[in-house]
Amino acid sequence: MNRRAFLAAASAASLFSYDTLTRAFAATPKNMLVVAQLLDNVTNLDPQENFEAVAAEINTNVYQKLLRPNPDKPEELEGDLAESWTVSDDGRLLTFQLRTDAVFASGTPVTAEDVAFSLGRAVKLNKAPAFIINQFGFTPDNVDERIRATGPHSLTVALDGKSSPAFVLYCLSSNVGSVVDKKLVLSHAQGDDLGNGWLKSNSAGSGDWILRSWKPSESAILEASPAQAKRTNIRRIVLRHVVDPSAQMLLLRNGDADVARNLTTEQLRALQGDPDYTLVRKAAAALVVMQLNTAHPQLAKPQVRQAIKHALDYQGIQQNLASLTHAVHQSFLPLGFPAAVTETPFRKDVARARALMAEAGAEGGFELVMDHYSYQPYNDIAQAMQADLAEIGIRLRLMPGENRQVLTKTRARQHEAALTAWGADYFDPNSNAEAFCVNTDNGPDARNRTLAWRNSWKDDEFTRRAQEALAEPDATKRLALYEQLQRDHMQRSPFVIMLQTTETAACRKGVEGVRLGTLADSNSYADVRKA
């Protein structure tokens, strides 16, 4: 085949593919919401195992928890399954009274036994998010005694007295606290997996939506629960994995998608002011972070880590690549969190960075492999970082991959460097302070595998200070401790915190009720409808 014939054939194939796609998805039904979105960070949908933002978002629409953050004031908690709760005078016992009208999708009423099973299940499975509950001294041996049903709709949680009850309540509102249908889950158990194998791709919740299917890096389909079907005209939500923001934009403009969730700054700018679209925006508790694994001999040197921080052009990256989707932010607590530090001490300073490299004995530079998400704006950000670091002799080799591939690699400590995102799990400074600072056991079998552990960074001073801040009873002093902790962390840690994300849902005219929250598990389709 000559070149002209080849190009003609390729063009025809492209037109055929586009026409087929258009016919398949044009004019979405009035009772269906189609969302174009990146889904590749979802490793599974078991709420006691997954630890990714999109998985948490899906889970929050499928499951209920004892408590949820107030959507408008995330520092305040409100009842979800819990109708009321009390704290004993000595602060060592939480007592919950549950709603009596909650029902699982299976038709089984939600009971306190289901709640106790779910929280105990998180501890016994001991997957990635388990440390959120394990930190209160719960173990597989004691959790059934310390978290138990005292009646059909009454539950007690016995605390060890080392943590504020208010802090425990925040943790119970996180995704790992989702309540599953005990009877249904155990009916699918294989050996002692507590139904984990089945729940990775099925649901057993009492939320507004029911998971009907999940195909990795392809789609997730939610159907309205019987109660939800009475409140909205949407019967099905189809989340389509669409990597390219341009493809998301095309689907949105053609009416093949009702909502696009990952548009770039340029595309969002094109939709601003257009009456046919509504942009739902929310500053999210999500950070863009370069992780530096200190198991790498060069990254173990504080001067090299400092050099990297001084070599990057944060403002240029934000202004040129992500002005409508991200803001420059350099501390581990996102803007909007109590005690968040908004100072940005790092600017591109090549001379200073080179001096630090020389001080570390690395003036000749070195090669560094950086894994990163293979979609925008991460591709462009990674390339900008590659150019910046080349100026100080660091030859950055880029390794793009699907979100979950990068996550799996970093969780196993198999990376050298990684450009990733990190979202807080609950609205308290400890959510990120623990992740970024605490590493009590740097061994391969550590129980709590925080971000610090993933990057082989064990600094006993930061661990101690984070734990002291958590235990400080005076609220004003506690916030001051977190503020200073962030300032010192910026200077000494192996984390290059660069940007904070603003989430945007671009909706076609007539789509209403899409709600974005500060936390990923506050993103809700409970009130969605189409005119």
Side-chain angles (χ1 to χ4, degrees):
M1 178 180 289
N2 62 32
R3 181 175 180 272
R4 179 177 296 177
F6 174 80
L7 291 175
S11 177
S14 175
L15 289 171
F16 174 79
S17 298
Y18 174 77
D19 185 58
T20 302
L21 179 68
T22 303
R23 287 200 307 270
F25 291 99
T28 62
K30 292 292 185 182
N31 64 354
M32 178 188 295
L33 187 78
V34 178
V35 182
Q37 181 175 6
L38 284 163
L39 300 176
D40 66 343
N41 86 330
V42 182
T43 57
N44 73 81
L45 289 169
D46 184 333
Q48 271 87 51
E49 179 178 8
N50 68 63
F51 207 29
E52 305 88 34
V54 177
E57 177 181 313
I58 293 173
N59 283 159
T60 203
N61 285 282
V62 172
Y63 294 95
Q64 292 179 288
K65 296 168 279 194
L66 282 170
L67 306 157
R68 284 189 186 276
N70 181 316
D72 300 315
K73 297 180 179 179
E75 68 277 11
E76 298 178 0
L77 294 177
E78 58 188 26
D80 195 3
L81 285 172
E83 189 171 66
S84 63
W85 56 95
T86 58
V87 181
S88 63
D89 291 339
D90 62 2
R92 299 178 70 95
L93 189 71
L94 299 175
T95 300
F96 296 90
Q97 297 298 322
L98 306 186
R99 293 168 39 193
T100 59
D101 60 345
V103 179
F104 289 112
S106 65
T108 304
V110 179
T111 69
E113 183 62 34
D114 294 298
V115 179
F117 167 76
S118 301
L119 297 177
R121 182 175 182 270
V123 174
K124 294 171 184 176
L125 287 176
N126 197 30
K127 302 293 185 178
F131 73 88
I132 296 172
I133 294 179
N134 287 343
Q135 64 184 309
F136 304 117
F138 298 115
T139 68
D141 294 329
N142 69 25
V143 70
D144 289 338
E145 178 60 29
R146 289 182 54 189
I147 302 178
R148 58 193 184 92
T150 56
H153 298 95
S154 300
L155 178 85
T156 58
V157 178
L159 307 179
D160 57 10
K162 298 179 180 179
S163 302
S164 161
F167 173 63
V168 178
L169 293 173
Y170 274 121
C171 292
L172 293 178
S173 73
S174 65
N175 183 57
V176 72
S178 299
V179 176
V180 303
D181 185 334
K182 177 182 178 180
K183 181 179 178 181
L184 179 61
V185 168
L186 289 182
S187 72
H188 293 279
Q190 297 291 323
D192 59 356
D193 80 340
L194 297 176
N196 176 243
W198 179 78
L199 210 54
K200 288 175 183 287
S201 55
N202 293 276
S203 69
S206 56
D208 296 308
W209 303 90
I210 302 164
L211 178 68
R212 281 304 177 211
S213 76
W214 169 59
K215 297 177 181 179
S217 296
E218 184 177 327
S219 66
I221 298 176
L222 309 179
E223 288 187 359
S225 69
Q228 175 68 3
K230 298 176 182 178
R231 295 194 295 265
T232 177
N233 64 339
I234 302 297
R235 296 294 180 268
R236 173 172 288 195
I237 299 175
V238 179
L239 307 177
R240 293 185 56 201
H241 176 57
V242 182
V243 177
D244 185 357
S246 297
Q248 289 194 18
M249 184 74 156
L250 182 63
L251 291 169
L252 185 71
R253 284 197 179 279
N254 287 349
D256 302 326
D258 301 297
V259 182
R261 291 289 303 277
N262 306 106
L263 299 184
T264 65
T265 289
E266 289 184 5
Q267 291 158 346
L268 292 174
R269 190 174 288 123
L271 296 179
Q272 285 181 327
D274 189 327
D276 289 330
Y277 303 93
T278 300
L279 302 182
V280 180
R281 294 171 59 79
K282 185 74 173 182
L287 304 172
V288 176
V289 183
M290 182 188 191
Q291 302 181 42
L292 304 174
N293 191 340
T294 62
H296 188 290
Q298 294 290 359
L299 301 181
K301 301 174 181 178
Q303 301 96 324
V304 170
R305 302 199 297 264
Q306 279 279 66
I308 291 172
K309 294 177 184 182
H310 284 289
L312 299 176
D313 185 4
Y314 305 86
Q315 285 71 27
I317 289 172
Q318 187 271 339
Q319 292 169 12
N320 297 318
L321 303 178
S323 62
L324 291 183
T325 58
H326 294 81
V328 174
H329 189 83
Q330 295 178 350
S331 67
F332 65 68
L333 284 180
L335 178 66
F337 262 54
V341 168
T342 58
E343 299 154 13
T344 53
F346 301 109
R347 297 284 192 279
K348 184 173 182 178
D349 188 338
V350 175
R352 185 172 181 182
R354 285 175 177 167
L356 286 162
M357 291 286 283
E359 185 181 330
E363 59 271 24
F366 59 91
E367 183 174 290
L368 182 65
V369 177
M370 186 175 79
D371 295 274
H372 66 89
Y373 304 150
S374 58
Y375 56 84
Q376 298 295 10
Y378 290 90
N379 279 328
D380 286 347
I381 292 174
Q383 290 173 23
M385 294 170 67
Q386 184 182 50
D388 287 341
L389 293 179
E391 295 184 53
I392 64 169
I394 296 178
R395 299 175 294 280
L396 198 63
R397 186 154 61 92
L398 302 182
M399 294 287 289
E402 279 199 333
N403 194 307
R404 66 172 174 273
Q405 293 173 331
V406 177
L407 290 174
T408 299
K409 193 170 181 179
T410 57
R411 286 171 179 171
R413 302 206 285 194
Q414 294 175 350
H415 64 294
E416 293 183 357
L419 181 66
T420 63
W422 178 264
D425 296 297
Y426 48 88
F427 204 81
D428 183 273
N430 185 70
S431 178
N432 278 7
E434 180 175 26
F436 282 92
C437 298
V438 175
N439 184 4
T440 56
D441 178 2
N442 202 42
D445 298 320
R447 190 163 182 236
N448 292 343
R449 302 182 180 188
T450 61
L451 272 180
W453 177 89
R454 293 181 194 178
N455 289 279
S456 308
W457 186 57
K458 188 175 187 298
D459 188 308
D460 293 339
E461 177 192 339
F462 278 90
T463 295
R464 173 184 58 77
R465 289 173 61 185
Q467 292 173 336
E468 287 177 352
L470 172 61
E472 174 55 54
D474 184 285
T476 301
K477 290 181 180 178
R478 183 172 185 248
L479 296 182
L481 290 174
Y482 281 120
E483 288 173 1
Q484 190 56 50
L485 184 63
Q486 288 169 86
R487 293 187 178 99
D488 294 341
H489 185 271
M490 282 190 271
Q491 298 297 328
R492 293 164 51 185
S493 78
F495 300 105
V496 188
I497 300 170
M498 302 175 64
L499 303 165
Q500 180 173 345
T501 303
T502 295
E503 293 280 358
T504 302
C507 306
R508 286 182 61 83
K509 186 177 180 179
V511 175
E512 300 175 351
V514 175
R515 189 181 73 205
L516 301 180
T518 301
L519 305 176
D521 65 357
S522 296
N523 296 342
S524 172
Y525 292 107
D527 301 318
V528 71
R529 61 177 53 253
K530 289 167 68 174

